[in-house]
Amino acid sequence: MPEKPELDFPRPLTTVDVVIFAIRSDALQVLLVQRPRAEGEPFPGSWALPGGFVDIAGDRDLEACAARKLKDKTGVVSPYLEQLGSWGSATRDPRGWSATHAYFALLPEHAAGGALAADAQWFAVEGEKVRPKLAFDHAEILHAAVQRLRSKVEYTSLPAYLMPPEFTLPELQRTYEIVLDRALEKSAFRTRMLAADLIEPVARMRKGPNRPAQLYRLKRAKAPVFFARTFNPPG
Amino acid sequence: MPEKPELDFPRPLTTVDVVIFAIRSDALQVLLVQRPRAEGEPFPGSWALPGGFVDIAGDRDLEACAARKLKDKTGVVSPYLEQLGSWGSATRDPRGWSATHAYFALLPEHAAGGALAADAQWFAVEGEKVRPKLAFDHAEILHAAVQRLRSKVEYTSLPAYLMPPEFTLPELQRTYEIVLDRALEKSAFRTRMLAADLIEPVARMRKGPNRPAQLYRLKRAKAPVFFARTFNPPG
DNA sequence: CATACTTAGTTGTACAGTCCAACTATATTA
DNA sequence: TAATATAGTTGGACTGTACAACTAAGTATG
């Protein structure tokens, strides 16, 4: 019973990892970084989630640490960032008992192409996995992140944070469909999206191979909107 | 950029805290412990969430650590236990940069009366707070736990884990109402509960000041069931 | 012992939102 | 000018909730 803590109580290694999602090339993608090959590094050369040790001198708190790591790898300053959970055990890092605080971030496509770090690269999410074998327990964390994303997409407006500043309703629906990997009903989608009061029409229209499409933008900044019902699969 | 970690990288203090809920005396209550008054202890005598340092020698992982702390304070071995999130910053603990992994647990009333630790005591949750001023940032963690509980109750079967092994539908509804702090519609509640396929009738009936009430029990072990819709407030 | 009361559980109607398919409208392309 | 593709609308079928009225059965009261 460590109810009499000492400051010398052995401390786990503490890291923060960020699962960064974006829609690129009509697919859900996640940003991975390649582990350094320096001596003493675990999983040299493996792909891993962006992250690393908490800097107790520089990081004010966990979220600031996650935002810093995100900015280091992508240049993006303030996307949607949500805490995912934490993973800690004696065995997940060969260097000893370690705990990571995992976050997940959503980037709009236009922001995802920017100032990528040299060791970073986008990978398509296939099912709930990614092609390369990931370092540490990062496959498990990614799995949880995809599940959380998919589950929240069912009843919130989260995918709106994957969109550019202005977008059409069909574009938004396509984003939902990519994340859910499932077709959605056009008119029900429209009704619910407008009822959710999250997006508002802007004056301009987008011209395409069809009639002019109304452009929308996000109304609020950060709060995902909850729907009354989940999306039921058509058919 | 701590991409070249050293094992000597300064580590935050790492703790696990557990928000333990139960329905007692027809109210939502939470278990708190009184901080020791020993020298060097922060917040001496204050009430706090049960928790403490991770024992990297004894704890296999974070959840095992949370379960251990829960058992220490309540004697209960395997109730519903879910990760809530983590809180870490330079300022939340006067001893230095610290991060806590917070869990929340649901105890059935009959288990909540058991082998309480000497320093532990139940407090009613009023609104999203508790009467005494809590140590550290535990008021914020409690707030998050109550919100998570209330929000999940809207669309899952979580409150079933606050029930004794066998219970009637009206008793289950009362538990929902206590957690939500709102009256629910009898027939809609019944329909949804039965449709959720989470509980099953047992042969026996409970006699009361009314007609015999059908007893039910949980069907599955740990998975909360999601409802298609939230409970809409009557009126 | 009869009656009133209380609560468990059912029934039926109104209503809201989704599913689905068919329809209209308009820009692009041939 | 006509065919085509996509944006967006409309209306009927269906599902599940809200709400209130109802039935049933045990308890309390005189």
Side-chain angles (χ1 to χ4, degrees):
Chain A
M1 277 208 278
E3 285 314 300
K4 266 198 187 161
E6 307 156 25
L7 278 177
D8 295 338
F9 207 92
R11 306 177 181 191
L13 291 161
T14 302
T15 57
V16 168
D17 294 307
V18 191
V19 185
I20 305 171
F21 289 115
I23 304 285
R24 291 163 46 91
S25 325
D26 246 42
L28 182 64
Q29 303 202 351
V30 63
L31 191 70
L32 300 177
V33 299
Q34 200 161 19
R35 302 273 316 156
R37 296 178 189 278
E39 153 183 39
E41 288 284 355
F43 300 97
S46 282
W47 291 96
L49 296 173
F53 291 91
V54 171
D55 175 6
I56 71 173
D59 294 323
R60 194 176 55 259
D61 55 34
L62 290 173
E63 183 161 336
C65 177
R68 171 173 65 82
K69 288 169 192 305
L70 196 146
K71 178 163 174 288
D72 284 350
K73 295 303 176 192
T74 65
V76 176
V77 173
S78 64
Y80 181 83
L81 185 61
E82 168 182 329
Q83 197 179 74
L84 175 63
S86 55
W87 278 257
S89 78
T91 53
R92 60 181 296 279
D93 188 315
R95 293 166 294 190
W97 222 107
S98 87
T100 192
H101 303 264
Y103 283 77
F104 85 89
L106 303 181
L107 262 51
E109 174 155 16
H110 67 99
L116 268 204
D119 57 351
Q121 197 175 303
W122 289 100
F123 289 83
V125 175
E126 296 160 13
E128 263 137 1
K129 293 187 174 62
V130 84
R131 197 57 63 84
K133 184 164 167 52
L134 298 186
F136 305 104
D137 50 4
H138 286 186
E140 188 183 335
I141 296 175
L142 172 63
H143 185 88
V146 174
Q147 286 207 324
R148 170 93 132 244
L149 177 61
R150 293 228 165 100
S151 130
K152 281 198 132 179
V153 165
E154 288 281 355
Y155 58 94
T156 77
S157 58
L158 260 197
Y161 301 103
L162 291 163
M163 305 303 293
E166 297 187 347
F167 49 86
T168 66
L169 267 180
E171 286 166 354
L172 182 59
Q173 180 173 351
R174 228 161 291 136
T175 298
Y176 270 83
E177 291 173 340
I178 289 169
V179 174
L180 284 175
D181 196 22
R182 193 175 83 213
L184 298 177
E185 195 43 45
K186 181 166 54 168
S187 63
F189 182 84
R190 181 185 187 76
T191 306
R192 287 176 52 173
M193 263 303 150
L194 297 181
D197 196 39
L198 171 90
I199 59 178
E200 60 186 355
V202 299
R204 296 188 297 116
M205 304 281 239
R206 172 170 302 164
K207 308 217 170 183
N210 40 27
R211 98 178 187 187
Q214 178 62 56
L215 286 175
Y216 294 86
R217 65 163 168 247
L218 270 183
K219 257 186 164 174
R220 292 187 248 297
K222 291 261 150 170
V225 168
F226 281 69
F227 298 128
R229 305 193 52 167
T230 59
F231 288 105
N232 291 327
Chain B
M1 277 207 280
E3 285 313 303
K4 269 201 182 153
E6 307 155 26
L7 277 177
D8 295 338
F9 208 92
R11 306 177 182 190
L13 291 162
T14 302
T15 57
V16 168
D17 293 307
V18 191
V19 185
I20 306 171
F21 289 115
I23 306 284
R24 290 163 47 90
S25 324
D26 245 41
L28 182 64
Q29 303 202 350
V30 63
L31 191 69
L32 300 177
V33 299
Q34 199 160 19
R35 301 275 314 157
R37 296 178 189 278
E39 157 183 36
E41 288 285 354
F43 301 96
S46 282
W47 291 96
L49 295 172
F53 291 92
V54 171
D55 175 6
I56 70 175
D59 293 324
R60 192 176 57 257
D61 54 34
L62 290 173
E63 183 162 334
C65 177
R68 172 174 63 84
K69 288 170 192 307
L70 196 146
K71 177 161 175 291
D72 283 351
K73 295 303 176 191
T74 66
V76 176
V77 173
S78 64
Y80 181 82
L81 185 61
E82 167 181 331
Q83 197 180 73
L84 176 62
S86 56
W87 278 257
S89 79
T91 53
R92 60 182 295 277
D93 188 315
R95 292 165 294 189
W97 221 108
S98 87
T100 192
H101 303 264
Y103 283 76
F104 84 89
L106 303 182
L107 261 51
E109 175 156 15
H110 66 97
L116 270 204
D119 58 351
Q121 196 174 304
W122 290 99
F123 288 84
V125 176
E126 297 161 13
E128 262 137 2
K129 294 186 173 62
V130 84
R131 198 56 65 83
K133 185 164 168 50
L134 298 186
F136 306 105
D137 51 4
H138 287 188
E140 189 184 334
I141 297 175
L142 173 63
H143 185 87
V146 175
Q147 286 207 323
R148 170 92 134 247
L149 177 62
R150 292 230 166 98
S151 129
K152 282 198 130 178
V153 164
E154 288 282 354
Y155 57 96
T156 76
S157 58
L158 259 199
Y161 301 103
L162 292 163
M163 305 302 293
E166 297 187 347
F167 49 86
T168 67
L169 267 181
E171 286 165 355
L172 182 59
Q173 181 174 350
R174 229 162 291 137
T175 298
Y176 270 82
E177 290 174 339
I178 289 169
V179 175
L180 285 174
D181 196 21
R182 194 175 84 214
L184 297 177
E185 193 46 45
K186 181 167 56 168
S187 64
F189 182 84
R190 181 186 186 77
T191 306
R192 286 177 53 175
M193 262 306 149
L194 297 180
D197 197 39
L198 170 92
I199 58 177
E200 61 185 355
V202 299
R204 295 187 299 115
M205 305 281 239
R206 171 169 305 164
K207 309 216 171 184
N210 39 27
R211 97 176 188 189
Q214 177 62 56
L215 286 174
Y216 293 85
R217 63 162 170 248
L218 270 182
K219 255 186 165 173
R220 292 188 247 297
K222 290 262 152 172
V225 168
F226 281 70
F227 299 128
R229 306 192 53 167
T230 58
F231 287 105
N232 290 329

